[in-house]
């Protein structure tokens, strides 16, 4: 106890110290008090023990914080004003502390013979006290992990001009989760810049720059994408600066996405509104897409949903229209399908994607496969397979790069004339876990 009394006495001997700065080095004692309340109690106790007159010290007279501990309300109002035009539910307050105040805070403990990190540092107290007041002013909740907004108070700038750059606001992205169906072929999932002109729409000719022959001057190989059908509407609904599209894998550009659709997340940077009417947004997207693309199940999501959509192990169900080069006997087709069902196949990177994928051997499981013949040269084949299974190559064999294959088992060349994706589902758990939705 003597060490404690000596530390209080030493702090008071350093010069005028306000209650908050007196209490802060002892913040780990007697929980439930503010540092100002703790400091006042220490001052009263010391005055009684020493039989000295009780004299309070106003923050403006304090050599440690130089008045800042008396301005929590002022800075909270400054933060609330800076957030006035932004819709948010959670926040966090941070501080850029003047170097002199940080040095004073260190010297206070040094002069009292205390450890440099004793109790609580000025920055932590300022963040908490201003943060509590911001919550009351805005009727929102603090979140120390992933707040909707982060308000950074620059105390140096505020001291010079409270109306200019005193509060820097970081607005974290907002997220909308849903599933999309692609009902027309030759629509990529995301924008597809032209490789010939690098997306510029122009190329050098004999007379200088000319419209790119490959893309017709548009800069893109396809006029529209799923991304372009979806993200502009989400961006408008959330009044943000930029929108990104994240899909749970992607189907070939010439494949349809049917059935239950493919999970996706639209990420909006710096949203000013975080709570759009999801049903109205869904209707607007579908109306504007005019049957080319449909979305369903739109819901607000957490930022973790982006990683979940991109990384969660998922199985896929496909429907392939298959053409055979020669007539195929129904029994032979049934036997080949039975052999493939439940089989793990080895697939070397297909010819059609080896320009953008590493050349590797991959093993993928065919969970279930069935076939229905239209005639002896055509069939519809449904495949439920492990994520990453190349369906076109499972059918064709890809010149032996996939083993076994339907074509290899039949001894007849087979090609996929049309491919539809019917379902994309998590292998062990659903994508739309409530923990990832808001």
């Amino acid at each position: 106890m003597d060490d404690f009394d000596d530390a209080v006495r030493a702090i008071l001997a350093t010069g005028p110290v306000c209650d908050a700065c007196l209490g802060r080095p002892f913040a780990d004692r007697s929980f439930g008090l503010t540092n100002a309340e703790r400091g006042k109690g220490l001052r009263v106790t010391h005055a009684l023990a020493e039989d000295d007159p009780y004299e309070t010290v106003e923050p403006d007279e304090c050599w440690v914080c130089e008045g800042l501990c008396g301005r929590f309300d002022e800075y909270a109002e400054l933060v609330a004003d800076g957030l006035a035009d932004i819709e948010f539910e959670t926040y966090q307050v941070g501080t850029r502390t003047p170097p002199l105040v940080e040095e004073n805070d260190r010297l206070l403990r040094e002069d009292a013979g205390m450890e440099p990190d004793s109790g609580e540092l000025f920055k932590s107290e300022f963040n908490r006290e201003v943060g509590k007041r911001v919550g009351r002013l805005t009727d929102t909740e603090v979140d120390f992990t992933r707040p909707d907004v982060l308000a950074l108070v620059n105390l140096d700038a505020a001291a010079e001009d409270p109306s200019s750059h005193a509060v820097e606001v970081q607005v974290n992205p907002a997220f909308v989760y849903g599933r999309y169906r692609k009902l027309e072929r030759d629509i990529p999932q995301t924008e597809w810049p032209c490789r010939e002109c690098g997306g510029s729409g122009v190329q050098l000719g004999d007379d200088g720059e000319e419209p790119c022959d490959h893309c017709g001057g548009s800069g893109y190989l396809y006029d529209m994408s799923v991304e372009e059908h979806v993200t502009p509407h989400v961006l408008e609904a959330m009044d943000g600066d930029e929108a990104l599209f994240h899909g749970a894998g992607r189907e070939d550009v010439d494949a349809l996405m049917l059935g239950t659709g493919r999970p996706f997340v639209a990420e909006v940077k710096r949203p000013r509104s975080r709570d759009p009417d999801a049903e109205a947004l869904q209707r607007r997207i579908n109306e504007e897409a005019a049957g080319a693309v449909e979305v369903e199940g739109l819901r607000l999501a957490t930022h973790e949903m982006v990683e979940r959509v991109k990384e969660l192990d998922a199985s896929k169900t496909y429907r392939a229209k298959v053409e055979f080069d020669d007539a195929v006997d129904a029994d032979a087709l049934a036997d080949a399908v039975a052999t493939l069902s439940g089989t793990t196949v080895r697939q070397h990177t297909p010819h059609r994607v080896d320009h953008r994928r590493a050349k590797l051997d991959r093993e993928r499981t065919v969970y279930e496969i069935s076939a229905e013949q239209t005639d002896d040269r055509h069939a519809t084949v449904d495949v439920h397979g492990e994520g990453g299974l190349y369906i076109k190559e499972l059918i064709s064999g890809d010149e032996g790069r996939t083993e076994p294959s339907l074509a290899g088992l039949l001894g007849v060349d087979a090609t996929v004339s049309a491919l539809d994706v019917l379902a994309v589902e998590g292998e062990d758990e659903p994508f739309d876990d409530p923990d990832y939705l808001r």
Side-chain angles (χ1 to χ4, degrees):
M1 192 65 179
D2 289 341
D3 290 343
F4 176 76
D5 292 337
D6 289 345
V8 174
R9 187 178 297 107
I11 288 176
L12 292 173
T14 63
V17 178
C18 71
D19 288 343
C21 289
L22 174 57
R24 194 163 53 250
F26 307 98
D28 53 356
R29 289 174 173 264
S30 186
F31 296 105
L33 299 171
T34 66
N35 286 329
E37 292 169 339
R38 191 175 285 111
K40 182 176 181 179
L42 293 172
R43 196 184 305 275
V44 170
T45 301
H46 176 77
L48 290 171
E50 300 293 325
D51 195 18
D52 287 341
Y54 172 77
E55 296 180 358
T56 188
V57 175
E58 296 299 326
D60 285 344
E61 303 170 356
C62 178
W63 72 269
V64 181
C65 70
E66 299 188 326
L68 289 173
C69 288
R71 301 172 67 186
F72 295 144
D73 289 333
E74 175 187 338
Y75 284 112
E77 291 175 0
L78 202 62
V79 170
D81 288 344
L83 299 173
D85 295 331
I86 301 168
E87 184 178 294
F88 65 100
E89 295 180 359
T90 60
Y91 70 93
Q92 185 178 354
V93 172
T95 309
R96 283 204 180 99
T97 307
L100 179 59
V101 173
E102 289 189 333
E103 177 69 5
N104 291 345
D105 208 29
R106 183 187 65 78
L107 289 173
L108 179 71
R109 290 163 175 77
E110 183 178 298
D111 290 346
M114 302 178 72
E115 294 296 325
D117 58 351
S118 295
E120 182 179 37
L121 298 182
F122 169 83
K123 178 182 289 189
S124 296
E125 178 180 20
F126 189 93
N127 291 345
R128 184 185 64 259
E129 292 299 329
V130 173
K132 288 191 300 187
R133 290 161 172 79
V134 169
R136 292 195 291 267
L137 289 171
T138 60
D139 193 25
T140 56
E141 296 183 359
V142 68
D143 182 345
F144 296 112
T145 56
R146 183 74 181 187
D148 293 339
V149 294
L150 169 64
L152 183 62
V153 182
N154 187 335
L155 293 177
D156 274 335
E160 297 172 5
D161 180 4
S163 65
S164 175
H165 308 298
V167 178
E168 301 171 22
V169 175
Q170 174 185 308
V171 181
N172 284 327
F175 306 88
V176 173
Y177 166 82
R179 287 175 175 264
Y180 75 82
R181 285 186 290 272
K182 191 178 78 178
L183 307 176
E184 293 181 2
R185 302 191 192 280
D186 296 324
I187 298 177
Q189 184 187 88
T190 56
E191 293 181 347
W192 197 323
C194 174
R195 291 191 296 271
E196 297 298 319
C197 65
S200 68
V202 296
Q203 56 188 178
L204 290 176
D206 294 337
D207 299 322
E209 288 188 349
E210 300 175 351
C212 175
D213 291 335
H214 196 64
C215 65
S218 69
Y220 296 92
L221 294 182
Y222 297 89
D223 293 334
M224 286 295 287
S225 64
V226 176
E227 175 185 24
E228 291 169 284
H229 279 298
V230 174
T231 54
H233 299 290
V234 180
L235 183 63
E236 181 182 5
M238 289 189 158
D239 191 17
D241 290 349
E242 180 187 6
L244 305 176
F245 189 92
H246 308 281
R250 62 177 67 213
E251 65 282 340
D252 290 340
V253 68
D254 60 347
L256 300 182
M257 181 66 243
L258 304 174
T260 58
R262 184 181 296 275
F264 73 90
V265 172
E267 175 182 353
V268 177
K269 305 284 189 180
R270 286 193 60 83
R272 294 163 189 85
S273 172
R274 307 185 79 92
D275 190 22
D277 184 330
E279 292 185 1
L281 176 59
Q282 183 171 302
R283 285 195 302 272
R284 185 158 62 252
I285 292 172
N286 291 341
E287 288 170 1
E288 293 294 326
V293 169
E294 288 180 352
V295 297
E296 67 177 17
L298 294 191
R299 282 166 286 179
L300 298 177
T302 66
H303 75 284
E304 292 95 347
M305 184 57 93
V306 172
E307 182 177 358
R308 185 173 181 81
V309 159
K310 297 171 77 71
E311 302 295 336
L312 185 67
D313 288 339
S315 66
K316 320 289 176 44
T317 302
Y318 298 85
R319 175 162 292 161
K321 299 293 185 182
V322 179
E323 296 182 358
F324 302 108
D325 278 7
D326 294 310
V328 171
D329 178 75
D331 290 339
L333 179 60
D335 289 344
V337 166
T339 299
L340 286 175
S341 191
T343 295
T344 296
V345 301
R346 179 194 57 79
Q347 295 191 302
H348 191 73
T349 304
H351 283 301
R352 62 188 174 91
V353 297
D354 64 3
H355 62 285
R356 63 177 189 271
R357 299 281 176 87
K359 294 177 173 57
L360 298 172
D361 284 329
R362 301 172 177 85
E363 290 189 344
R364 296 292 186 269
T365 300
V366 180
Y367 295 140
E368 189 176 0
I369 182 171
S370 62
E372 182 177 338
Q373 277 189 296
T374 306
D375 55 47
D376 60 7
R377 299 278 298 270
H378 299 85
T380 299
V381 178
D382 287 356
V383 181
H384 178 209
E386 184 180 357
L389 176 67
Y390 291 108
I391 301 301
K392 291 179 179 179
E393 286 68 28
L394 178 69
I395 301 299
S396 71
D398 195 26
E399 299 178 357
R401 294 159 80 96
T402 290
E403 294 254 353
S405 68
L406 185 63
L409 291 169
L410 290 171
V412 174
D413 286 344
T415 57
V416 174
S417 58
L419 182 66
D420 302 334
V421 187
L422 303 183
V424 179
E425 304 294 344
E427 289 273 13
D428 302 313
E429 54 185 298
F431 279 93
D432 54 349
D433 186 308
D435 288 344
Y436 299 88
L437 300 170
R438 298 186 64 167

